[in-house]
Amino acid sequence: MWGFYIEQLMHSLPFFLKGLWMTIAVSGISLVVGTLLGFLWGIIRSSQNRTLKALVGAWVDIIRGTPFLVQVFIIFFILPEFGIQLEAFPAAVIALTNLAACFICEIVVAGIQAVPWGQREAAISTGLNWYQQLRNVIMPQAMRVILPPLVGQYVLLIKDSSVVSAIGVVDVTRVGWLTVQRVPQGLLVFGLVALLYFIICYPLIQLSNSLEKRMSSGYTRGKV
Amino acid sequence: MLETFNFRVIFEYLPLFGSCFLATLWLSAAGLVGALVIGTLACSMRIGRHKLIAIVAAAYIESIRSTPLLVQLFFFYFGLPSLGIRLSEAATGILALALNSGAYLAEIIRAGIQSISHGQVEAAVASGLSYIQRMRHIILPQAIGVTLPPMLGQAIVLVKDSALLSLISLPELTRAGQIMTSERFMPAEGFLTSAVFYLLIYYMLKWMTAWSQKRLIYMQA
């Protein structure tokens, strides 16, 4: 009996791969744009401008404090009332990009804070301007602290992208949901969906772990 | 849109939001208790001496961490009945939440135990303390201090994750927003009210995290 269902699943495998492609597209675009925005927010949050800092801080807090599903619904259902009619795909990308930016912002802030204050003072007294300080002194050292959790955050965001299936984006989770209506074997169907996510996320988790090991060992060597 | 924002309807739906808020609280609390039990168990299995058990625990932790909660939720929701196991929606939801957060808590607890330097254990052994005394007086007091802030962080994640239970039609906060949307077509009022209630929980837990971190620094000083 299981053989029959597995055969049926094999028939809809192209459908699953299409869904996987959609998952990769949504999370890929959001991660790239979200990383850029997240670094921008993070640098603003570590700057001296009080108003901008407070604004970004409040926004980041609100996004970090509410479920992603609620954010997706708000963007999908409320923006049309402002006259911005969005398809499911752009709505999903906007929601996930925003989420990515807000979580990456915190990682960047922590990384910049980990650079000793003396480094900045030395950079100032060497006569470097703000951009040069950031580009040549602060960020290269901060990246060592930022990189491992950043990759870990990517994994969380790729997994969060499954939530956008709720507004009808046909990603791999949605494909599973549609398939289970025809092939009533939830364990098989969602086992396959889980396997597809596993193939993407597991190597990234390992990468994050090995980065953490490498970066921290480099740090102690520098200190001693 | 804002000129049509209808506070009266929100007040009309406030009892629904109140009961759904309580539902979110108790679903998350039940999930957290389950996660603590599973997490402690999985952690002790993973760092134990028995190889096979350690591999089983590691496989559980890694497979949970590499797949989305929503997929795990659907796996149980659609999968358990095909095995002949019929659970209520609430039980399925709590099971998924507990198994999901349990894997993360196991890693947090493991990091906490491993953060205690080996010299502490050696000193305790040299002082002639028994295993239970070592755990009670040396390891746990330090480990709990270190793990409390990340555990509260995981609690925040769990509360937010509980929003996904609305997708298996459990009446919790996000579901209240969906109900308001389908009955009155007022998504703005509905989901923004849900968001406010979530923020309430978030700020409370965040405040507790900051407090526990302060305690931690105080304890280490």
Side-chain angles (χ1 to χ4, degrees):
Chain A
M1 190 180 103
W2 280 69
F4 170 70
Y5 286 122
I6 290 175
E7 200 175 315
Q8 256 192 320
L9 264 191
M10 284 301 123
H11 278 304
S12 36
L13 199 61
F15 198 28
F16 276 92
L17 292 181
K18 231 171 153 180
L20 186 66
W21 175 239
M22 180 57 99
T23 293
I24 292 173
V26 171
S27 23
I29 299 172
S30 309
L31 287 186
V32 172
V33 183
T35 304
L36 294 176
L37 271 180
F39 270 85
L40 186 64
W41 291 168
I43 289 167
I44 289 175
R45 279 259 277 170
S46 322
S47 74
Q48 311 289 333
N49 191 322
R50 284 251 177 101
T51 339
L52 274 178
K53 250 168 90 167
L55 276 178
V56 173
W59 180 249
V60 166
D61 230 19
I62 287 173
I63 295 303
R64 287 169 63 99
T66 49
F68 182 52
L69 181 62
V70 174
Q71 296 165 19
V72 170
F73 280 148
I74 287 178
I75 288 177
F76 189 58
F77 287 117
I78 297 185
L79 284 187
E81 297 194 32
F82 285 106
I84 309 168
Q85 195 81 42
L86 285 177
E87 298 280 318
F89 180 76
V93 169
I94 290 174
L96 195 61
T97 302
N98 178 44
L99 185 78
C102 289
F103 275 92
I104 290 169
C105 166
E106 292 293 287
I107 295 173
V108 172
V109 169
I112 291 177
Q113 273 173 356
V115 178
W117 192 245
Q119 293 282 331
R120 189 182 294 259
E121 284 171 351
I124 294 171
S125 51
T126 324
L128 298 181
N129 65 30
W130 179 81
Y131 174 76
Q132 287 170 323
Q133 286 170 35
L134 209 60
R135 168 77 185 77
N136 297 318
V137 181
I138 309 288
M139 282 326 259
Q141 300 183 67
M143 278 317 279
R144 151 172 290 173
V145 184
I146 291 173
L147 219 47
L150 185 66
V151 177
Q153 190 62 51
Y154 285 166
V155 176
L156 293 179
L157 290 166
I158 291 170
K159 291 193 289 171
D160 277 339
S161 79
S162 65
V163 171
V164 303
S165 62
I167 54 169
V169 175
V170 190
D171 71 339
V172 70
T173 307
R174 183 80 182 163
V175 169
W177 192 85
L178 292 169
T179 308
V180 87
Q181 321 284 336
R182 285 185 299 113
V183 186
Q185 282 290 330
L187 289 182
L188 270 183
V189 173
F190 283 101
L192 177 61
V193 173
L195 181 70
L196 292 174
Y197 277 106
F198 186 87
I199 291 170
I200 303 178
C201 294
Y202 187 69
L204 281 175
I205 292 179
Q206 300 308 314
L207 175 66
S208 171
N209 288 346
S210 75
L211 274 176
E212 192 157 7
K213 241 175 244 159
R214 229 177 54 210
M215 297 287 166
S216 64
S217 71
Y219 224 19
T220 43
R221 208 184 311 143
K223 256 190 209 158
V224 170
Chain B
M1 156 242 167
L2 284 179
E3 55 268 26
T4 62
F5 196 87
N6 198 332
F7 282 104
R8 234 191 42 234
V9 179
I10 293 181
F11 278 114
E12 200 181 304
Y13 273 82
L14 218 49
L16 175 71
F17 276 101
S19 68
C20 287
F21 176 65
L22 290 180
T24 288
L25 283 184
W26 88 258
L27 286 169
S28 314
L32 193 61
V33 171
L36 274 173
V37 174
I38 295 171
T40 314
L41 206 69
C43 174
S44 51
M45 279 164 69
R46 184 159 192 191
I47 60 178
R49 296 227 174 87
H50 201 293
K51 265 275 159 58
L52 193 68
I53 290 178
I55 290 174
V56 170
Y60 155 68
I61 292 170
E62 294 304 330
S63 55
I64 290 285
R65 276 167 25 115
S66 309
T67 52
L69 171 62
L70 185 57
V71 174
Q72 293 158 16
L73 185 65
F74 283 160
F75 183 78
F76 293 122
Y77 185 66
F78 292 111
L80 289 183
S82 63
L83 287 181
I85 305 168
R86 300 216 166 268
L87 291 177
S88 68
E89 275 107 1
T92 313
I94 292 170
L95 177 72
L97 280 181
L99 278 175
N100 182 270
S101 278
Y104 290 92
L105 284 185
E107 290 294 276
I108 291 172
I109 297 169
R110 189 165 71 113
I113 290 176
Q114 284 175 347
S115 73
I116 293 159
S117 71
H118 204 66
Q120 296 269 337
V121 182
E122 283 168 358
V125 173
S127 321
L129 296 181
S130 70
Y131 177 78
I132 293 188
Q133 284 172 324
R134 288 199 309 262
M135 272 290 172
R136 160 83 185 73
H137 294 287
I138 311 293
I139 298 178
L140 285 184
Q142 300 183 66
I144 289 173
V146 179
T147 49
L148 204 55
M151 271 190 184
L152 284 168
Q154 185 59 36
I156 293 177
V157 172
L158 195 148
V159 170
K160 291 192 291 168
D161 278 348
S162 75
L164 294 184
L165 302 190
S166 67
L167 297 178
I168 58 169
S169 47
L170 265 176
E172 46 72 70
L173 268 178
T174 311
R175 186 77 193 146
Q178 289 171 0
I179 290 171
M180 211 166 146
T181 306
S182 58
E183 286 183 3
R184 299 290 179 92
F185 204 70
M186 290 184 169
E189 288 84 346
F191 290 121
L192 287 178
T193 312
S194 304
V196 168
F197 276 108
Y198 279 114
L199 281 177
L200 216 67
I201 308 177
Y202 170 69
Y203 280 113
M204 206 180 67
L205 286 172
K206 203 183 154 190
W207 175 78
M208 279 167 69
T209 313
W211 175 81
S212 69
Q213 265 162 346
K214 227 187 285 171
R215 287 274 305 183
L216 180 62
I217 291 163
Y218 175 73
M219 269 164 53
Q220 283 171 340

